[in-house]
Amino acid sequence: MVEIMVKKNRALVAITGGGGMTPLYMACLFGHYEMGKCLYGYSQKLRDICWTHENRGWLLQKCVETNMFDIALDIVQEHPELSSSEFVSNIIMRTINWVIRPKMQALEKESKAKASEILKTIWNNIAEKPRDEIDTILRGPPDEIPNIIKGHAARHFENQQGIASRRHRHVDIYNLLHEISSNKDMITPLKDLNEDNMLHLVARSVERKRLEDVSGGAFQMQRELLWFKEVEQMIPPSYRERKNKDGLTPCELFTKEHQDLVVQGEEWMKGTASQCMVVATLIATIAFAAAFTVPGGYQDDGIPLFQRNLSFLIFVVANAISLFSSSASILTFLSILTSRYAEYDFL
């Protein structure tokens, strides 16, 4: 779709939306790699109208945050002056964290190599500068909200409605804003006065009356996890690990806020599993006994009297199914009783 639109008008890639965000920045912000790669290629052909030092720096930072290291490497190599920008301290830390990850998968090797190359390129550019300037670069700027994220009054109102719908679980309002809001992708990265982003607000425990239509602590915990996962998909990847003023990431806050619900879910699951296990054991016992005391008894040679009857064959098959399924149920409920009951087990 983008390729068709750009063929009609190449200048489209340079048109900014609310908050001054270009299409390329939006794609990188939300980790859409293929779209980012496509738009970056088109943007490179329109350097005079697409780029400023500031938006190129913010794009570099978002590419690193969302692990788009090939785009970030192109930017760093073509524009070494960005190595002395206010963005570089965050970029260095993010790249180092990726390179020294203890777990390496085969698919990550190429990304690690490019991340190392970015780090090497930036550091070589920094090393040529005076020591005082190097200290200033590595220290980084104070944590300020970039102008590109600041919104106007209408977007602020929409943001408050979006926050309320997520915080209080107004699913209908959430769906409405998600479907018709033209600024929804610019709302999700915003934060409140406590540095809570959307995912932090969803991670907080909800009023009990919001969960009254769900029976049992286990299903209530499942509902909370599903809601958390749903909103997590809308949040830019880098924001899922951001900390609020209390130093908590959304996942850490979710664990803290739902400790009591996990305990209630564990008690409910154990009680339910114990009762169901009694029923399954009873059925298994009867099915086992019926396998040896068949209807009609046996002949003198030990062959069942009704062996040739179709109804007897149906009985044998049904009894075998009952025995095996009830035995499987017993093992299932036993595994539930011995579960560790971590919060994501309820999902």
Side-chain angles (χ1 to χ4, degrees), residues 42-288:
Y42 288 126
S43 299
Q44 286 293 87
K45 300 174 183 178
L46 299 174
R47 299 189 181 203
D48 296 338
I49 60 175
C50 276
W51 297 103
T52 65
H53 175 76
E54 184 181 36
N55 68 23
R56 187 178 281 114
W58 283 115
L59 177 64
L60 173 60
Q61 183 171 358
K62 292 307 170 187
C63 286
V64 172
E65 287 181 354
T66 53
N67 305 331
M68 298 183 180
F69 294 117
D70 49 351
I71 299 178
L73 183 58
D74 288 343
I75 296 174
V76 170
Q77 290 176 340
E78 292 184 15
H79 303 279
E81 69 275 7
L82 291 175
S83 299
S84 59
S85 68
E86 63 271 24
F87 315 101
V88 78
S89 60
N90 292 332
I91 293 172
I92 290 176
M93 292 306 300
R94 182 84 183 186
T95 310
I96 289 176
N97 289 336
W98 177 269
V99 172
I100 64 175
R101 273 183 177 179
K103 295 181 180 180
M104 178 185 288
Q105 300 177 0
L107 295 177
E108 293 180 347
K109 290 183 178 179
E110 185 178 355
S111 296
K112 285 180 179 290
K114 290 180 179 178
S116 299
E117 186 65 25
I118 292 173
L119 194 61
K120 181 180 178 181
T121 302
I122 291 178
W123 190 253
N124 287 339
N125 293 332
I126 292 176
E128 299 175 357
K129 302 183 181 299
R131 181 168 181 174
D132 292 343
E133 189 172 345
I134 293 176
D135 290 341
T136 302
I137 292 172
L138 296 182
R139 192 176 300 113
D143 186 17
E144 296 179 352
I145 300 176
N147 290 331
I148 201 168
I149 300 297
K150 293 179 180 178
H152 45 71
R155 188 150 56 90
H156 173 74
F157 171 77
E158 190 174 15
N159 175 39
Q160 297 305 314
Q161 300 302 312
I163 285 178
S165 68
R166 289 160 176 80
R167 174 69 179 86
H168 298 291
R169 312 296 197 270
H170 296 301
V171 179
D172 293 337
I173 299 177
Y174 167 82
N175 289 334
L176 185 63
L177 286 174
H178 180 65
E179 291 171 6
I180 70 173
S181 171
S182 59
N183 289 327
K184 63 186 178 189
D185 288 337
M186 287 178 286
I187 294 172
T188 51
L190 296 178
K191 297 180 287 187
D192 63 11
L193 297 177
N194 294 321
E195 298 295 319
D196 285 337
N197 60 34
M198 292 292 186
L199 203 55
H200 281 103
L201 298 176
V202 173
R204 297 188 182 278
S205 59
V206 72
E207 299 174 1
R208 297 296 300 174
K209 65 181 181 179
R210 287 285 173 187
L211 297 174
E212 288 178 352
D213 60 331
V214 183
S215 61
F219 288 110
Q220 291 176 359
M221 186 65 188
Q222 183 194 40
R223 170 75 68 85
E224 290 289 274
L225 282 167
L226 290 172
W227 181 250
F228 184 81
K229 288 291 184 181
E230 172 68 23
V231 178
E232 186 179 38
Q233 296 176 1
M234 289 185 58
I235 300 294
S238 60
Y239 284 74
R240 298 167 191 171
E241 299 298 325
R242 293 287 176 90
K243 295 183 178 181
N244 59 11
K245 282 189 175 180
D246 296 326
L248 298 175
T249 64
C251 288
E252 292 170 344
L253 182 60
F254 184 92
T255 300
K256 178 182 177 182
E257 290 281 329
H258 292 81
Q259 290 176 348
D260 293 339
L261 193 57
V262 170
V263 174
Q264 295 173 21
E266 179 179 354
E267 293 175 351
W268 186 88
M269 282 295 293
K270 285 184 175 179
T272 304
S274 297
Q275 296 172 16
C276 292
M277 191 172 181
V278 171
V279 177
T281 304
L282 179 62
I283 295 173
T285 303
I286 296 173
F288 183 80

